[in-house]
Amino acid sequence: MPQYRLPGFSKVQRNDIIVFNTPLGTEPLDLREYWIKRCIAIPGDVVRIDHKQLYVNDKLADTCDTIQYRYFMKTKRKLSSAFFEKNDIIVEKSAISHPDISIVSGHEGYIIYATPNKVKQLTTILPSYIQSVEPVEDEEIQPNNYPSSMLWDDTKGAMDPLTWHKGNFGLLVRTVLGWTKDNFGPLTVPKKGMSIHMDEKNILLYGHAIANFEGKKTIKFTQKECWIDGQQVKQYTFVKNYYFVMGDNRDQSKDSRFIGFIPEEHITGKAIMVLLSSRKKSLFSGIRWNRLFHMV
């Protein structure tokens, strides 16, 4: 039975927190998981990330005070879990070794996830505990000039469109272009009526959307060619709108940097309020009382 969703009462705007069915998987749309992320870019926007700084249409876009990043916090002593809970800091479970950090009293520090305002607060208010807090970036990757055998079926000389259902968009752009979650793009978000030349790079960037969401009967990609319904296509015009989403915890989020664009029909609504927030998986353990019923 065909499915149909009633249109929403408003358009999705940049910075809206949206709920959507994941584009991963082959199940019917209404049976897929619901995800929630922040809409970073709308159809036609250009997204770029430069050393963690997000730009949309060449303008600095990270203005929300809830955005968290990954930092290495060098400490003067070992800190208890109570310290992190009291200061509302997400911390990786084990202390790490860092090549640029000397050991202090047998302990180096912690990888934490925090907002820039929280980092500033920590270094200002708690100098007796904290020596420094520095951002941690993904390791730079040298791009390949051609996709590896992991991405292309050398026996067929083509890519199976279903490969993108497995969330391999991030693997493709990372392996071939050298993009990472901290240095990404520029990438134009597809808009209905937007036309692109189907060269090798655009097949890589937009093939997942064309293959899985544009409603074509048969589609085949080689490294430099696109075939739709038996005809070679050198230029393609999108028939749908798409969005680019990211999580507010930028370094722990599986989002459009990894899974690709979100089709408009996958969006089910907007989030407007936090009903419950907990530091732990248990429903009533570690509740963040200051976030309850907080408007977003």
Side-chain angles (χ1 to χ4, degrees):
M1 180 179 294
Q3 54 181 319
Y4 178 76
R5 281 180 173 163
L6 294 174
F9 295 106
S10 62
K11 294 287 186 181
V12 174
Q13 304 294 330
R14 299 182 195 95
N15 276 328
D16 283 347
I17 297 177
I18 60 174
V19 181
F20 57 92
N21 292 108
T22 172
L24 305 181
T26 57
E27 303 89 349
L29 183 58
D30 59 340
L31 297 181
R32 299 186 195 179
E33 290 182 344
Y34 288 96
W35 288 16
I36 181 168
K37 303 287 179 184
R38 187 177 297 276
C39 174
I40 297 303
I42 61 176
D45 283 347
V46 179
V47 177
R48 175 172 60 90
I49 303 172
D50 186 2
H51 296 286
K52 292 185 180 289
Q53 292 294 317
L54 172 66
Y55 297 86
V56 176
N57 301 328
D58 288 328
K59 295 181 180 179
L60 188 63
D62 273 343
T63 57
C64 180
D65 59 6
T66 61
I67 305 299
Q68 296 181 337
Y69 300 98
R70 192 170 187 244
Y71 297 91
F72 181 79
M73 182 172 71
K74 184 178 180 181
T75 59
K76 298 178 180 179
R77 65 189 74 177
K78 190 172 182 179
L79 303 176
S80 67
S81 58
F83 171 89
F84 295 105
E85 289 191 11
K86 179 181 178 181
N87 290 283
D88 197 20
I89 301 171
I90 300 173
V91 61
E92 290 188 0
K93 291 184 178 180
S94 59
I96 68 158
S97 296
H98 193 288
D100 299 324
I101 303 295
S102 59
I103 294 178
V104 179
S105 301
H107 186 80
E108 294 186 5
Y110 300 87
I111 289 289
I112 66 169
Y113 300 89
T115 66
N117 285 339
K118 174 63 71 174
V119 168
K120 184 177 180 180
Q121 178 187 16
L122 288 173
T123 53
T124 303
I125 299 177
L126 301 169
S128 59
Y129 292 92
I130 299 168
Q131 187 164 334
S132 63
V133 183
E134 300 293 338
V136 178
E137 285 195 15
D138 263 5
E139 181 181 354
E140 291 188 6
I141 297 174
Q142 293 299 320
N144 294 325
N145 292 324
Y146 53 88
S148 70
S149 58
M150 291 174 59
L151 312 177
W152 296 86
D153 185 344
D154 291 335
T155 62
K156 298 178 181 178
M159 175 180 283
D160 177 4
L162 289 180
T163 188
W164 282 296
H165 278 305
K166 303 173 184 177
N168 285 346
F169 173 77
L171 174 63
L172 289 167
V173 298
R174 184 181 180 92
T175 303
V176 182
L177 301 179
W179 294 3
T180 69
K181 62 181 175 60
D182 296 327
N183 292 280
F184 184 97
L187 177 65
T188 302
V189 182
K191 180 179 182 179
K192 184 177 180 180
M194 183 181 92
S195 296
I196 58 172
H197 180 64
M198 294 306 293
D199 56 20
E200 183 175 359
K201 184 175 181 180
N202 280 339
I203 288 174
L204 178 73
L205 295 177
Y206 300 103
H208 70 295
I210 297 171
N212 297 320
F213 310 125
E214 290 282 288
K216 304 305 176 185
K217 293 181 180 179
T218 62
I219 189 163
K220 175 185 175 182
F221 296 111
T222 65
Q223 285 184 229
K224 298 182 180 180
E225 295 178 352
C226 173
W227 296 76
I228 297 178
D229 296 337
Q231 300 292 322
Q232 184 178 357
V233 176
K234 295 187 177 181
Q235 182 168 299
Y236 183 80
T237 301
F238 285 94
V239 299
K240 295 183 179 181
N241 286 323
Y242 297 83
Y243 295 81
F244 193 96
V245 301
M246 292 174 66
D248 280 3
N249 192 338
R250 291 291 160 80
D251 292 306
Q252 277 193 316
S253 175
K254 189 173 184 180
D255 50 39
S256 287
R257 293 170 292 179
F258 303 96
I259 64 174
F261 307 111
I262 307 302
E264 190 168 50
E265 68 267 22
H266 282 227
I267 299 172
T268 61
K270 300 180 184 180
I272 59 173
M273 179 185 293
V274 177
L275 296 180
L276 180 66
S277 177
S278 174
R279 297 184 187 90
K280 302 178 181 178
K281 293 183 179 180
S282 174
L283 183 60
F284 297 108
S285 177
I287 293 177
R288 297 182 175 100
W289 296 102
N290 62 321
R291 297 190 185 183
L292 267 62
F293 305 109
H294 177 72
M295 302 298 292
V296 297

